[in-house]
């Protein structure tokens, strides 16, 4: 797991952003793209940079489902919750992976080695049912293949 | 036309022609989110590797999608003489070596992978792409460049009529641009169909400044990816469309709000904007005309209601992306409380063509009330998951048979779902509706932005209702109790029905919720119950059966079925027991059986032992149950 960025690093990262210029999402996205998550410290730095309060920034962070406030797991299985995947057994795949990993949706192991995330359809439905492993599509799954994948992820960590 | 622009276009055309007559083969590889999912990046890498290994002097171009999603990776090869080019499908990395040998080194074609000739005359055994069955009836206007030009190369866009529409608009007064767009009949492609020209006119007539244009690229409806195809395949089309809208409405700046799930579209749109700035097409003094327009890309962070225009505005403003209470409407007080206009990606993308070719030409392609072409994405249990562009008007069934390739083997059409989670499902008996706006409006739903999901008899409507309502609950912004509380309640009731706990009174409860949610502030809450409302109308028998008999005709509702070992001696049972994630296989009398209690009904065991495990109804048939009760 990467160590938490310092205030100085964060300040430099968001130095280009200005108050009242539509920069809340861009600055938060930049923090997350750089460090994988948005720490409490980052929220404070962004708030100061944008001349607003940490509460307001935290309000935005907590509103969106893809912002994280804790570091992402080493290996993440994101599950496609979309309709084509659902029609092809996607929900049974979710159930099976959750039981294999012993995690709820959007949960991660205590050591941050692996996690299970809710994903949205991005139109790669030719591969349904599918999951993304660290962003890469693993498609045309069967439930059995999904269980094996989850077991491998768990065993590797 | 503006001289600077004229020169830019001339230079680009010359460069384009020079490339064609370079005497070198050119290989075009579709690299977009859909093709990458099917290994296109490996194909591209392998092509480069083979070229290097064979020391070939040929060029490679990254292009967008032709819409043949189910045949990705698609690749085309243009002959060294530049006289013809052939498009191929399923060019997986393992085929590349042979493919390059046969097309480039031997100068031939690979008929078994060929889809059609995209430039030049038909060749031995390979017809024109227009004659490919899947292309029949399609009209490629919005998608004219996707799959052909490099989306990262503004010169390619300029060489293919790019920015010509904008050039025309520069010579027109704002009112005339509006009139042209009104005459065309261009309606919003985000689902509402509201005339774009009228919206632009509202902004033009606004009294405050600055004014903003917003491009809604949130494309949140799962099963719709038409906007992505355009952004990834021809990003300047959207930049140009917004520029035209800016001239029509005197907007000072624009924002393109792209969903988090589309990182490649974000990257390509960002590059397009950067390149447009570099050539002076954006900025404070566009092409020396003194006109100004700034354009920014904003990436979302995962929120469906940010696709609702006022939620989107709040999101850019830096607040939680909660839809606002209207009025005031965005045209009066939108972004930073300044006059703003929101349109869908595909809406803006039509503007360049209307300017270039005129309203009549643009409109005449469709003989319905809706004008121009429309893009659709088809998915579900169908043979050909794809993206098409067609004139308005074919029926849902036509489109399924013709473009979707029909239902998969073993699947019979049970129904379809256009328009995303806020729309509803219709049964197969309604599949002869045309793909136009009115039939859906009349049924209290909407056609939506282009996604159509087809489902089969193995699908439970109760499950789909639970799914769509669950989505609406998850994505509720939390403002209205009717919406966040109502969707939550609906999900509870639906889940209970789905596990066999349905009560007669549940239908009434759901109907009550249908009536309650319409009092929500925004369309999200107002339409969240559409799925249930229509399911109760069109699939009532199924609901009744699940509630009263606790039986599911699709045998897919986890709560109403059990898995049972029928042939414990079958050798496949060992593997089935081993795959079980909850160790539900237990030994009874020396034989493996499934314990119903821990079983989560994931079905993995049946996948591995299809002939030794069966699905049975969990609850005994009603009649039997009553007889037993009476007898005992
Ligand atoms: C919950 C919700 C989500 C929406 N999502 C989108 C979307 O992803 N893309 C879109 O263009 N319109 C979406 N809309 C419709 C927009 O509010 C708006 O009507 C549309 O962007 C206007 O553009 P148009 O006139 O070009 O269609 C959504 C509406 C609601 C209520
Ligand atoms: S539904 Fe899973 S990728 Fe579209």
């Amino acid at each position: 797991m990467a160590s938490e960025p310092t205030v100085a690093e964060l300040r430099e990262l968001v130095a280009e952003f200005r108050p009242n210029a539509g920069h809340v999402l861009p600055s938060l996205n930049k923090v997350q793209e750089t460090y994988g998550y948005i720490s409490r410290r980052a929220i404070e730095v962004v708030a100061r940079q944008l001349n607003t309060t940490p509460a307001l920034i935290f309000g935005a962070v907590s509103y969106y489902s893809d912002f994280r406030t804790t570091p992402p797991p080493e290996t993440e299985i994101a599950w496609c919750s979309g309709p084509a995947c659902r029609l092809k057994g996607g929900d049974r795949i979710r159930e099976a992976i959750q039981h294999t990993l012993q995690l709820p949706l959007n949960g991660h192991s205590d050591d941050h080695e692996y996690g299970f995330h809710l994903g949205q359809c991005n139109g790669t439905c030719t591969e349904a049912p599918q999951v993304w492993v660290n962003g890469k599509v693993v498609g045309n799954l069967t439930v059995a293949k999904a269980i094996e994948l989850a077991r491998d992820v768990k065993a590797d960590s | 036309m503006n001289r600077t622009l004229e020169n830019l276009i001339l230079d680009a055309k010359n460069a384009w022609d020079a490339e064609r007559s370079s005497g070198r083969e050119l290989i075009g590889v579709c690299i977009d989110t859909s093709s990458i999912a099917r290994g296109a990046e490996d194909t591209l890498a392998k092509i480069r590797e083979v070229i290097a290994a064979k020391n070939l002097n040929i060029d490679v171009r990254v292009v967008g999608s032709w819409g043949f999603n189910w045949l990705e990776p698609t690749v085309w090869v243009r002959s060294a003489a530049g006289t013809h080019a052939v498009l191929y499908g399923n060019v997986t990395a393992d085929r590349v070596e042979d493919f390059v040998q046969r097309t480039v080194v031997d100068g031939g074609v690979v008929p078994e992978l060929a889809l059609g000739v995209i430039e030049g005359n038909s060749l031995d055994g390979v017809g024109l792409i227009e004659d490919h069955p899947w292309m029949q009836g399609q009209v490629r206007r919005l998608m004219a460049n996707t799959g052909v030009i490099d989306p990262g190369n503004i010169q390619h866009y300029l060489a293919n009529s790019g920015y010509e529409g904008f050039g025309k608009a520069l010579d027109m007064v704002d009112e005339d641009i509006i009139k042209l767009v009104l005459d065309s009949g261009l309606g919003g492609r985000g689902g509402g169909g509201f005339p774009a020209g009228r919206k632009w006119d509202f902004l033009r007539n606004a009294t405050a400044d600055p004014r903003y244009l917003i491009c809604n690229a949130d494309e949140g409806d799962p099963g719709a990816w038409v906007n992505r195809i355009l952004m990834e395949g021809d990003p300047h089309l959207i930049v140009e469309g917004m520029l035209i809208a800016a001239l029509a409405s005197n907007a000072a700046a624009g924002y393109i709000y792209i969903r988090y799930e589309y990182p490649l579209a974000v990257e390509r749109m960002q590059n397009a904007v950067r390149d447009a700035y570099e050539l002076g097409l954006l900025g404070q003094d566009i092409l020396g005309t003194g006109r100004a327009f700034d354009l920014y890309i904003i990436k979302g962070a995962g929120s469906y209601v940010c696709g609702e225009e006022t939620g989107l505005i709040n999101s850019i403003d830096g607040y939680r992306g909660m839809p606002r209470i209207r009025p005031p409407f965005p045209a009066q007080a939108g972004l930073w409380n300044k006059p703003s206009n929101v349109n869908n990606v595909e809406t803006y993308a039509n503007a360049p063509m209307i300017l270039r070719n005129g309203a009549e030409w643009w409109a005449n392609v469709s003989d319905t009330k809706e004008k121009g072409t429309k893009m659709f994405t088809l998915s579900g249990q169908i043979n050909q998951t794809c993206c098409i562009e067609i004139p308005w008007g074919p029926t849902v069934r036509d489109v399924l048979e013709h473009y979707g390739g029909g239902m998969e083997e073993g699947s019979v059409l049970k129904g379809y779902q256009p328009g995303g989670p806020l729309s509803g499902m219709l049964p197969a008996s309604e599949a002869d509706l045309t793909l136009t706006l009115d039939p859906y409006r009349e049924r209290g739903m909407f056609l939506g932005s282009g996604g159509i999901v087809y489902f089969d008899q193995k699908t439970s409507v109760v499950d789909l209702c639970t799914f769509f309502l669950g989505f609406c609950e998850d994505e509720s912004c939390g403002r209205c109790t009717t919406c966040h509380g109502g969707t939550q309640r609906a999900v509870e009731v639906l889940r209970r029905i789905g596990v066999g706990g349905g009560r007669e009174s549940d239908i009434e409860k759901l109907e009550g919720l249908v009536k309650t949610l319409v009092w929500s502030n925004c369309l999200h809450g107002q339409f969240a119950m559409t799925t249930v409302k229509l399911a109760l109308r069109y699939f009532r028998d199924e609901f009744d059966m699940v509630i009263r008999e606790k039986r599911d005709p699709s045998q897919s509702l986890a709560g109403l079925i059990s898995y049972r070992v029928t042939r414990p001696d079958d050798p496949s049972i060992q593997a089935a027991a081993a795959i079980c994630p909850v160790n539900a296989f237990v030994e009874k009398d020396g034989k493996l059986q499934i314990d119903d209690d821990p079983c989560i009904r994931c079905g993995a065991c049946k996948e591995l032992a299809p002939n030794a495990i069966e699905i049975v109804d969990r609850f005994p048939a009603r009649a039997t149950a009553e007889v037993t009760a009476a007898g005992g």
Side-chain angles (χ1 to χ4, degrees):
Chain A
M1 207 194 313
S3 60
E4 197 191 332
T6 64
V7 170
E9 284 166 342
L10 286 162
R11 274 196 192 141
E12 199 187 314
L13 186 76
V14 300
E16 66 184 285
F17 299 110
R18 298 280 166 267
N20 305 320
H23 285 174
V24 171
L25 277 176
S27 56
L28 292 174
N29 266 318
K30 191 169 184 194
V31 170
Q32 180 153 305
E33 271 156 29
T34 311
Y35 298 108
Y37 74 110
I38 301 164
S39 62
R40 188 196 164 109
R41 198 181 276 163
I43 289 172
E44 285 164 3
V45 169
V46 168
R48 170 165 283 226
Q49 180 68 28
L50 301 183
N51 200 15
T52 178
T53 63
L56 211 115
I57 298 299
F58 180 74
V61 169
S62 63
Y63 184 78
Y64 299 96
S65 53
D66 286 306
F67 281 144
R68 305 166 187 271
T69 49
T70 53
E74 201 65 33
T75 306
E76 180 169 82
I77 302 181
W79 166 74
C80 179
S81 59
C85 288
R86 178 102 180 183
L87 295 176
K88 298 184 178 188
D91 206 45
R92 290 187 283 122
I93 286 174
R94 176 188 57 73
E95 196 73 41
I97 295 179
Q98 277 179 225
H99 278 88
T100 308
L101 297 180
Q102 302 273 317
L103 290 177
L105 257 183
N106 294 330
H108 54 75
S109 62
D110 291 340
D111 56 5
H112 283 260
E113 281 294 319
Y114 55 90
F116 190 47
H117 192 73
L118 174 95
Q120 299 290 348
C121 167
N122 65 353
T124 52
C125 315
T126 51
E127 307 311 287
Q130 66 173 47
V131 296
W132 293 269
V133 178
N134 288 349
K136 202 168 159 24
V137 173
V138 181
N140 294 309
L141 283 173
T142 58
V143 183
K145 280 197 237 171
I147 293 168
E148 273 161 20
L149 174 78
R151 282 179 182 164
D152 286 348
V153 164
K154 205 172 168 182
D156 283 351
S157 56
Chain B
M1 201 196 290
N2 176 287
R3 286 298 288 277
T4 318
L5 182 56
E6 220 168 336
N7 288 333
L8 284 176
I9 291 173
L10 200 67
D11 288 350
K13 287 198 159 133
N14 287 337
W16 179 264
D17 292 341
E19 190 179 6
R20 182 187 292 272
S21 49
S22 66
R24 286 193 300 274
E25 283 93 350
L26 175 64
I27 301 188
V29 185
C30 168
I31 297 287
D32 77 339
T33 301
S34 295
S35 73
I36 288 171
R38 293 178 58 80
E41 282 176 322
D42 296 339
T43 294
L44 178 61
K46 187 74 192 174
I47 287 173
R48 295 214 157 108
E49 189 192 309
V50 172
I51 290 174
K54 293 193 195 274
N55 220 347
L56 299 169
N57 182 21
I58 58 179
D59 300 318
V60 177
R61 178 189 295 173
V62 165
V63 299
S65 171
W66 280 80
F68 285 100
N69 295 158
W70 83 101
L71 293 176
E72 297 292 353
T74 53
V75 173
W76 50 259
V77 183
R78 181 194 279 162
S79 62
T83 49
H84 65 269
V86 180
L87 179 69
Y88 299 92
N90 276 327
V91 187
T92 44
D94 57 315
R95 289 187 164 134
V96 163
E97 180 109 43
D98 176 61
F99 178 81
V100 172
Q101 176 70 33
R102 286 163 70 187
T103 54
V104 178
V105 182
D106 305 342
V109 290
V110 182
E112 68 271 24
L113 299 181
L115 299 173
V117 174
I118 57 171
E119 288 173 16
N121 301 323
S122 59
L123 298 162
D124 23 307
V126 185
L128 300 179
I129 193 75
E130 300 89 284
D131 297 332
H132 189 287
W134 184 78
M135 291 291 282
Q136 300 288 307
Q138 293 206 49
V139 178
R140 293 301 173 93
R141 290 183 169 183
L142 291 161
M143 292 174 74
N145 285 337
T146 62
V148 178
I149 68 169
D150 176 351
N153 191 331
I154 190 170
Q155 302 297 336
H156 283 186
Y157 184 70
L158 283 162
N160 288 278
S161 315
Y163 292 104
E164 276 178 20
F166 173 60
K168 286 211 168 151
L170 273 176
D171 294 337
M172 294 164 74
V173 295
D174 52 7
E175 259 183 288
D176 291 344
I177 305 174
I178 301 258
K179 182 162 182 316
L180 187 66
V181 175
L182 277 174
D183 286 348
S184 74
L186 172 63
R189 299 313 201 222
F194 196 84
R198 284 200 34 215
K199 277 168 73 163
W200 297 3
D201 208 29
F202 293 150
L203 195 64
R204 188 178 72 88
N205 289 320
T207 45
D209 271 306
R211 307 159 197 198
Y212 297 104
L213 283 182
I214 296 167
C215 174
N216 191 340
D218 201 47
E219 196 158 57
D221 292 343
W225 62 95
V226 298
N227 290 173
R228 175 169 71 66
I229 295 279
L230 287 179
M231 291 189 282
E232 291 179 348
D234 198 10
H236 285 284
L237 194 60
I238 297 136
V239 176
E240 187 185 354
M242 290 188 76
L243 269 166
I244 292 166
L247 291 178
S249 59
N250 302 308
Y255 289 82
I256 304 177
Y257 187 96
I258 309 176
R259 71 197 290 236
Y260 182 86
E261 289 80 0
Y262 286 179
L264 188 61
V266 170
E267 184 189 317
R268 289 192 178 161
M269 288 306 312
Q270 269 168 344
N271 291 342
V273 166
R274 179 201 62 206
D275 294 346
Y277 267 105
E278 239 165 55
L279 291 192
L281 289 158
L282 286 171
Q284 283 310 302
D285 179 18
I286 293 172
L287 303 167
T289 59
R291 307 293 300 249
F293 188 63
D294 281 312
L295 192 52
Y296 308 97
I297 309 290
I298 305 270
K299 179 171 149 189
S303 162
Y304 180 68
V305 290
C306 284
E308 194 280 341
E309 56 185 22
T310 58
L312 195 159
I313 288 169
N314 268 347
S315 180
I316 301 179
D317 267 355
Y319 302 111
R320 293 161 76 89
M322 299 165 79
R324 294 178 179 177
I325 293 165
R326 303 185 294 182
F329 291 92
Q332 298 141 6
L335 201 55
W336 294 294
N337 287 325
K338 297 293 183 191
S340 307
N341 172 66
V342 183
N343 276 124
N344 175 264
V345 167
E346 195 182 339
T347 313
Y348 285 119
N350 273 296
M353 282 190 292
I354 296 171
L355 268 287
R356 215 163 57 222
N357 300 319
E360 221 182 284
W361 173 89
W362 184 85
N364 280 347
V365 67
S366 293
D367 22 294
T368 51
K369 218 158 70 184
E370 299 77 5
K371 296 299 167 197
T373 54
K374 178 77 192 85
M375 292 169 68
F376 291 97
T377 50
L378 316 181
S379 65
Q381 282 124 337
I382 61 174
N383 283 316
Q384 301 176 173
T385 294
C386 62
C387 175
I388 57 173
E389 180 181 1
I390 50 173
W392 293 84
T395 69
V396 173
R397 201 187 303 277
D398 286 347
V399 164
L400 165 64
E401 293 306 327
H402 196 91
Y403 304 110
M407 298 299 285
E408 278 175 3
E409 206 189 316
S411 284
V412 178
L413 181 69
K414 174 170 173 176
Y416 63 100
Q417 208 268 1
L422 302 181
S423 191
M425 298 172 273
L426 289 173
S429 57
E430 297 271 316
D432 293 314
L433 300 185
T434 55
L435 288 169
T436 48
L437 302 177
D438 285 345
Y440 304 93
R441 279 194 191 134
E442 286 158 13
R443 284 161 179 74
M445 55 192 288
F446 37 80
L447 176 62
S449 60
I452 308 174
V453 184
Y454 295 92
F455 57 90
D456 73 1
Q457 79 288 359
K458 300 190 292 302
T459 308
S460 158
V461 164
V462 175
D463 180 64
L464 281 186
C465 285
T466 314
F467 163 56
F468 285 117
L469 262 296
F471 182 94
C472 292
E473 180 196 2
D474 267 3
E475 298 295 341
S476 171
C477 80
R479 183 199 290 278
C480 309
T481 309
T482 43
C483 174
H484 73 81
T487 51
Q488 192 181 5
R489 186 74 190 111
V491 169
E492 278 167 16
V493 172
L494 288 164
R495 286 219 176 107
R496 184 160 47 66
I497 294 174
V499 295
R503 306 169 193 150
E504 289 287 333
S505 59
D506 282 341
I507 301 279
E508 236 170 88
K509 264 189 207 110
L510 290 171
E511 280 167 348
L513 287 166
V514 169
K515 289 193 197 118
T516 309
L517 266 81
V518 295
W519 296 104
S520 308
N521 166 52
C522 86
L523 289 172
H524 184 81
Q526 289 166 23
F527 278 84
M529 289 297 288
T530 314
T531 310
V532 172
K533 181 179 76 178
L534 292 173
L536 291 179
R537 187 185 309 160
Y538 291 105
F539 297 96
R540 180 61 180 264
D541 290 351
E542 186 173 336
F543 260 88
D544 285 344
M545 186 192 256
V546 170
I547 290 176
R548 295 194 186 136
E549 299 174 35
K550 313 207 183 309
R551 279 199 313 116
D552 168 23
S554 69
Q555 289 219 312
S556 68
L557 272 180
L560 297 188
I561 53 169
S562 290
Y563 284 81
R564 198 168 67 188
V565 176
T566 48
R567 295 158 83 189
D569 300 324
D570 196 283
S572 61
I573 285 293
Q574 291 306 325
I579 199 71
C580 180
V582 290
N583 297 320
F585 282 74
V586 288
E587 256 192 51
K588 224 188 211 165
D589 307 329
K591 309 223 149 140
L592 281 174
Q593 293 293 346
I594 299 171
D595 181 353
D596 205 44
D597 256 0
C599 173
I600 54 170
R601 279 98 177 141
C602 72
C605 57
K606 189 165 163 56
E607 285 172 2
L608 300 186
N611 300 318
I613 293 175
E614 68 170 6
I615 298 176
V616 294
D617 291 332
R618 183 174 182 190
F619 300 100
R622 187 86 184 256
T624 337
E626 275 163 6
V627 170
T628 323

